[in-house]
Amino acid sequence: MKILLDERELRQGVQRLAAEVNRHYDGAPLTIIGVLTGSVVLLADLIRLLEMPLRVGVVQASSYRGGTEAGELSIQADFMPDIEARHVLLVDDIFDTGNTLVEVVKLVEALQPASVATLVLLRKTGRQRVSYEPDFVGFDIPDEFVVGYGLDYADAYRNLNYLAALEPEDLDRKF
Ligand code: IMP
Ligand code: MG
């Protein structure tokens, strides 16, 4: 594995994102919705740096069926809090093709929030298949499959405190 962002760089990126979000909402109450499972580490670090009155909810979106290629997208929104007339910030780990975030934004917009914005830790260069762009982006990274800081390969590596790109020999490992 090749380290792309170490613990210190990730921390600085999250601090930068939090500062932007604090400035943007300027004390207005906010509902953060994390897209499970990849956003859990970011969510935990980010919310502790936010200064407005905050509610936190989650939705689950799964598209990766074990490998590095996306399968069909499914969204499970049973645990989403009531967001009607509230400012909502959707938080996800990575903006790859963009399909996941676009679908979750649609779902949230249908519930008539006051506003919907999106934040991602990572955006992969040259992969997007949608015209939508996230409002807050931590880092632009090259088109490589990455793990750590919440991101997984076949459900492994989410607990790494750095972000690493998988190399071909890593893909064959069994857990
Ligand atoms: P999208 O719908 O193609 O934008 O994919 C978004 C989801 O796919 C992310 O929330 C991740 O869970 C997963 N994903 C995309 N690229 C990577 C990666 O490089 N490593 C791990 N997961 C990824
Ligand atoms: Mg995800």
Side-chain angles (χ1 to χ4, degrees):
M1 276 198 257
K2 179 179 79 202
I3 295 185
L4 287 188
L5 296 168
D6 64 22
E7 190 178 4
R8 192 171 135 268
E9 292 169 305
L10 287 167
R11 185 165 55 241
Q12 289 172 343
V14 175
Q15 284 168 351
R16 228 169 20 240
L17 285 167
E20 283 176 44
V21 172
N22 282 327
R23 207 176 317 124
H24 181 82
Y25 290 97
D26 194 24
L30 181 64
T31 301
I32 287 240
I33 297 184
V35 182
L36 295 179
T37 304
S39 73
V40 287
V41 180
L42 170 64
L43 196 64
D45 284 345
L46 180 73
I47 61 175
R48 286 176 288 174
L49 299 172
L50 297 181
E51 291 159 359
M52 67 287 280
L54 195 73
R55 299 156 79 235
V56 181
V58 292
V59 293
Q60 176 153 40
S62 342
S63 60
Y64 280 85
R65 301 277 182 247
T68 62
E69 284 311 309
E72 202 183 314
L73 180 67
S74 77
I75 298 176
Q76 155 68 264
D78 287 357
F79 297 113
M80 187 144 76
D82 175 28
I83 55 170
E84 193 180 330
R86 294 177 187 272
H87 295 293
V88 174
L89 178 63
L90 287 168
V91 171
D92 204 359
D93 51 359
I94 188 166
F95 195 66
D96 184 23
T97 65
N99 291 331
T100 303
L101 214 50
V102 163
E103 288 308 314
V104 179
V105 166
K106 274 192 214 157
L107 188 140
V108 165
E109 272 172 350
L111 301 170
Q112 294 167 349
S115 68
V116 186
T118 54
L119 178 151
V120 294
L121 179 68
L122 308 165
R123 175 170 56 194
K124 253 192 231 179
T125 304
R127 290 270 302 169
Q128 285 73 50
R129 286 192 233 131
V130 295
S131 54
Y132 183 86
E133 284 295 339
D135 299 279
F136 305 96
V137 177
F139 300 93
D140 282 296
I141 60 164
D143 180 8
E144 293 182 89
F145 197 82
V146 292
V147 296
Y149 200 74
L151 292 104
D152 74 302
Y153 169 63
D155 279 322
Y157 305 122
R158 291 195 201 273
N159 54 318
L160 302 180
N161 62 6
Y162 51 86
L163 186 84
L166 287 187
E167 291 171 301
E169 60 269 30
D170 301 316
L171 298 173
D172 305 326
R173 284 181 49 198
K174 294 276 174 287
F175 299 99

